[in-house]
Structures are given as structure tokens and as C-alpha cells.
């Protein structure tokens, strides 16, 4: 570790350190891109941690919505027609794959394939 890196690490906020750790963990997943590099209107794979999970009906249809964060940015995950999904909970690490859309300026994947990953420390 260089002196510059050591000084930046000491002066970094807890959020900055957590973001770097999350990016490093997501980068270990084969075939995954950083969320900030996911292009709209194209299939993409990403890995990260779920920051929030809520049940939010869309046009009268139940939908589970989650925010996946990988240190570079976040993508909204929406599973239509579901009220709950076993294992999909805040703090859980997941790997997702699906079509990336732009919904009101936010990257979004509808009904993505997902793989549950071990939690931090597991």
C-alpha cells in the first residue's frame, strides 16, 4: 500500500470505506459489471448488497422492490406479482441478471434472475 493510499484510507469517511469494500466484493463476481456501467436497454449482470426491500403495488399489482448497491451506484430491482421473496431482505448480498431500463432517471431491472450470496462474514 502506497503512502498516498494509506493517507486516503485514514481520511476517508466510513461511507467511502464501505463503498470501496462493496465495489471490491462485487468485482469478484465473474461476469458482473459495476452498477454505474450498466447500460439502459441492454442485459446486464451486477452484484452487491440490498439496501432496502419494500412491498409497493404498481398499478394495482403487488410488487417487491429492492435497491441493490455495489459501491459505484444502485439499481432498483422490481419483481412484479410478488408480495415477498424468501431471502430477499436488507443486508443480503445478491447477484442479479436482467434487462436494464431507465425508469424516471433510475436504473431498474424488472423480474431479474437472482442468486443469493453469503452475507458479510459468512
Amino acid at each position: 500500500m502506497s503512502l498516498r493510499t494509506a493517507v486516503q484510507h485514514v481520511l476517508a469517511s466510513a461511507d467511502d470505506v464501505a463503498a470501496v469494500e462493496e465495489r471490491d466484493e462485487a468485482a469478484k463476481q465473474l461476469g458482473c459489471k459495476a452498477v454505474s456501467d450498466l447500460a439502459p436497454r441492454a442485459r446486464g449482470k451486477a452484484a452487491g448488497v440490498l439496501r432496502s426491500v419494500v412491498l409497493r403495488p404498481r398499478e394495482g399489482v403487488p410488487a417487491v422492490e429492492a435497491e441493490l448497491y455495489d459501491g459505484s451506484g444502485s439499481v432498483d430491482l422490481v419483481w412484479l406479482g410478488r408480495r415477498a421473496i424468501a431471502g430477499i431482505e436488507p443486508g443480503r448480498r445478491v447477484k442479479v441478471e436482467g434487462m436494464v431500463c431507465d425508469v424516471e432517471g433510475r436504473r431498474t431491472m424488472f423480474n431479474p434472475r437472482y442468486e443469493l450470496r453469503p452475507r458479510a462474514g459468512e
Side-chain angles (χ1 to χ4, degrees), residues 50-64:
L50 296 176
R51 280 185 157 176
S52 65
V53 178
V54 296
L55 172 63
R56 181 172 296 138
R58 287 179 170 255
E59 299 177 18
V61 176
V64 173

Side-chain angles (χ1 to χ4, degrees), residues 13-41:
S13 70
D15 289 340
D16 292 339
V17 171
V20 169
E21 290 173 357
E22 204 54 54
R23 276 194 301 272
D24 291 345
E25 186 65 30
K28 293 178 187 176
Q29 303 301 315
L30 295 177
C32 292
K33 287 185 173 183
V35 168
S36 61
D37 294 338
L38 293 175
R41 301 179 63 181

Side-chain angles (χ1 to χ4, degrees), residues 3-107:
L3 178 60
R4 182 181 200 176
T5 305
V7 170
Q8 287 174 340
H9 188 71
V10 169
L11 298 177
S13 70
D15 289 340
D16 292 339
V17 171
V20 169
E21 290 173 357
E22 204 54 54
R23 276 194 301 272
D24 291 345
E25 186 65 30
K28 293 178 187 176
Q29 303 301 315
L30 295 177
C32 292
K33 287 185 173 183
V35 168
S36 61
D37 294 338
L38 293 175
R41 301 179 63 181
R43 290 193 67 77
K45 287 184 185 179
V49 64
L50 296 176
R51 280 185 157 176
S52 65
V53 178
V54 296
L55 172 63
R56 181 172 296 138
R58 287 179 170 255
E59 299 177 18
V61 176
V64 173
E65 292 188 11
E67 179 187 13
L68 177 76
Y69 177 73
D70 77 343
S72 71
S74 61
V75 60
D76 293 334
L77 309 173
V78 180
W79 288 274
L80 298 170
R82 306 288 296 266
R83 294 188 187 282
I85 301 173
I88 299 295
E89 55 195 31
R92 186 69 192 220
R93 292 187 186 282
V94 296
K95 180 177 173 181
V96 296
E97 178 182 0
M99 183 63 73
V100 181
C101 306
D102 185 325
V103 177
E104 298 176 3
R106 294 184 53 90
R107 286 180 196 87

